[in-house]
Amino acid sequence: MNFDFSEAEKAFVQAVEQFLDQCDTPEVMDVTRENMAQLVDTPERRAFMSKCGERGWLGMGWPKEYGGNETEGVYEYLLNESLARRGAPQIGKGVGIVGKTLIRHGSDKLKREFLPKILRNEVQFAVGYTEPEAGSDAAAMALKATRDGDGWRLNGQKIFSTSAHFADWYWLGARTDPSNKHRGITLFLLHMDTPGLTVQPMPTIGDEITNSVYFDNVYVGDEYRVGELNKGFQYISEALDLERFTMFTFSPIEQRMEELCAYVVTEQCDGRPLREDLVIRQRIAQLVTQTEVARCLGLRFVAKASKGGAAPTTDSSQYKLYATELSKRIANAALDIGAPGTQLRVQTADAPMRGRPELTYRYTVIDTIGGGTSEVQKNIIARRKLGLPPNF
Ligand SMILES: Cc1cc2nc3c(=O)[nH]c(=O)nc-3n(C[C@H](O)[C@H](O)[C@H](O)COP(=O)(O)OP(=O)(O)OC[C@H]3O[C@@H](n4cnc5c(N)ncnc54)[C@H](O)[C@@H]3O)c2cc1C
């Protein structure tokens, strides 16, 4: 098995790194924002992402007829990993979820309207699947879409719509047939300024803002329906496989592990080097090994996904489950080993490991929930990989 990247792939990474060196300002890149660094939520971050678009790095894997370059998926993986390592915003929902689904299932009008804007980074999206009574069981979503002339009236509530407080467009699922759970959901694109839509920000344990969104007789034209009526859940499932992998990058895990190792090698506790403590040595050795396992699971997904076709579902679930749970273990270890200093917040001068452990400890809880909880990933693996009977 050869885990090396090709010369062309290495040259691409070098070009990305050079570009990132030129754009390295605190407004654009900040590893201490944890995965919130993914968001394209400020003018500086929008400008950075537009520059990525100018370089042809947005949608490079898309078909040429839609402005892409049909580049193998490994290039998007390498780009995303480089961006994550530097705490730069990442090519997220627009290219991956909205763009790829529109290419597969969208009407000509929606492709014409949105794909060029995504490539030029002229539009930011929020994704609305989750509702107060429909999280893990996304097919239970109930936001009502009722026919009204040439469009639809939306009534109900979404919850945990990240980015909705700054996004331009909303990518959401709504119930168009109450009699059929899985085949009764339709996807829509809705402008965030549409009358009747109210966005209420909610802070999370990881300092991230997410949102509740309320729909009061909100009108959406039928031309903004994505794909076929009542097939939304199928499209959402396809997109989630892509999201689970692309949103949970490996390089921040590796980076946190490197920082923890460097801390253990150089620091002392009660006059004794930490590196001589047998319990700490054992814990670090296990985590380093597990970090290598996460890398391999990620690369295996990339290798399979690069061969084309649908994203390999169980591989993306395995990677998401393993990587996010490992992130939590590394954060716990950093907080324990460096205590009490590691309880200091990021902004505190002289906090060990740049003050990251305290925020990472809180943030990594979210990673095991967003994009599908760990329990849900285990169910997917049990059913689809091991052939065990469903428990839901
Ligand atoms: C910070 C953050 C950002 C998010 N961003 C978005 C977003 O942008 N868009 C969006 O649509 N959603 C988003 N989500 C929602 C996220 O996908 C859901 O929170 C998640 O799917 C879990 O749903 P729930 O919170 O309703 O929990 P529930 O589904 O109510 O689950 C509660 C508990 O029960 C467990 N459980 C549920 N079903 C089963 C089962 N069948 N077997 C075993 N255990 C089970 C779960 O694992 C969990 O531990 C975000 C969530 C967070 C925390």
Side-chain angles (χ1 to χ4, degrees), residues 143-175:
L143 176 81
K144 211 154 99 187
T146 322
R147 260 290 187 188
D148 180 4
D150 291 336
W152 302 81
R153 288 281 166 193
L154 304 176
N155 281 288
Q157 186 193 345
K158 294 279 172 192
I159 199 165
F160 294 129
S161 290
T162 305
S163 310
H165 56 300
F166 63 83
D168 310 297
W169 283 85
Y170 207 179
W171 173 261
L172 63 101
R175 169 87 29 216

Side-chain angles (χ1 to χ4, degrees), residues 127-130 134-137 159-162 204 208 210 366 369-373 375-376 379 391-392:
V127 171
Y129 303 146
T130 307
S136 301
D137 187 10
I159 199 165
F160 294 129
S161 290
T162 305
T204 71
E208 181 174 13
T210 184
I366 293 175
I369 299 171
T373 64
E375 290 78 16
V376 166
N379 282 337
N391 76 337
F392 59 97

Side-chain angles (χ1 to χ4, degrees), residues 91 102 114 145 234 286 318:
I91 39 166
L102 286 184
F114 286 97
Q234 175 197 318
Q286 280 170 346
Q318 263 179 280

Side-chain angles (χ1 to χ4, degrees), residues 145-384:
T146 322
R147 260 290 187 188
D148 180 4
D150 291 336
W152 302 81
R153 288 281 166 193
L154 304 176
N155 281 288
Q157 186 193 345
K158 294 279 172 192
I159 199 165
F160 294 129
S161 290
T162 305
S163 310
H165 56 300
F166 63 83
D168 310 297
W169 283 85
Y170 207 179
W171 173 261
L172 63 101
R175 169 87 29 216
T176 35
D177 180 358
S179 69
N180 195 324
K181 186 176 175 185
H182 289 86
R183 294 202 182 83
I185 293 169
T186 301
L187 268 180
F188 293 96
L189 273 159
L190 179 72
H191 199 279
M192 292 303 300
D193 288 340
T194 310
L197 200 65
T198 310
V199 177
Q200 196 176 78
M202 305 191 296
T204 71
I205 185 177
D207 291 350
E208 181 174 13
I209 301 280
T210 184
N211 304 278
S212 273
V213 183
Y214 300 90
F215 298 72
D216 181 10
N217 236 11
V218 173
Y219 181 80
V220 58
D222 192 55
E223 68 271 28
Y224 286 102
R225 167 167 53 81
V226 177
E228 287 183 45
L229 192 65
N230 295 326
K231 282 214 177 156
F233 188 70
Q234 175 197 318
Y235 307 150
I236 290 171
S237 305
E238 284 175 24
L240 272 175
D241 288 340
L242 296 165
E243 176 184 344
R244 271 178 203 134
F245 184 72
T246 51
M247 274 184 56
F248 303 96
T249 40
F250 171 72
S251 45
I253 301 175
E254 183 179 44
Q255 202 173 49
R256 286 177 207 131
M257 201 56 227
E258 283 166 1
E259 276 182 343
L260 178 57
C261 288
Y263 181 80
V264 166
V265 167
T266 51
E267 295 297 318
Q268 302 200 342
C269 181
D270 295 335
R272 215 176 127 211
L274 288 177
R275 63 177 182 274
E276 289 177 8
D277 184 306
L278 289 181
V279 175
I280 291 177
R281 287 168 74 101
Q282 205 177 61
R283 201 160 170 192
I284 293 288
Q286 280 170 346
L287 291 173
V288 167
T289 311
Q290 291 166 5
T291 302
E292 205 49 41
V293 174
R295 183 205 304 280
C296 293
L297 287 174
L299 289 175
R300 192 170 69 174
F301 176 92
V302 177
K304 285 193 187 174
S306 288
K307 288 193 182 120
T313 309
T314 50
D315 291 275
S316 96
S317 287
Q318 263 179 280
Y319 172 77
K320 200 265 174 184
L321 171 66
Y322 195 86
T324 55
E325 291 291 341
L326 172 61
S327 265
K328 220 157 68 170
R329 287 196 294 279
I330 295 173
N332 287 0
L335 214 63
D336 288 348
I337 292 170
T342 41
Q343 288 168 19
L344 295 171
R345 296 213 160 190
V346 160
Q347 297 83 1
T348 317
D350 300 331
M353 293 174 256
R354 294 187 277 178
R356 284 182 80 184
E358 187 274 336
L359 178 57
T360 308
Y361 175 77
R362 289 185 281 125
Y363 191 86
T364 47
V365 176
I366 293 175
D367 272 355
T368 59
I369 299 171
T373 64
S374 288
E375 290 78 16
V376 166
Q377 306 314 312
K378 285 179 192 168
N379 282 337
I380 292 171
I381 295 163
R383 282 176 61 189
R384 300 198 204 164

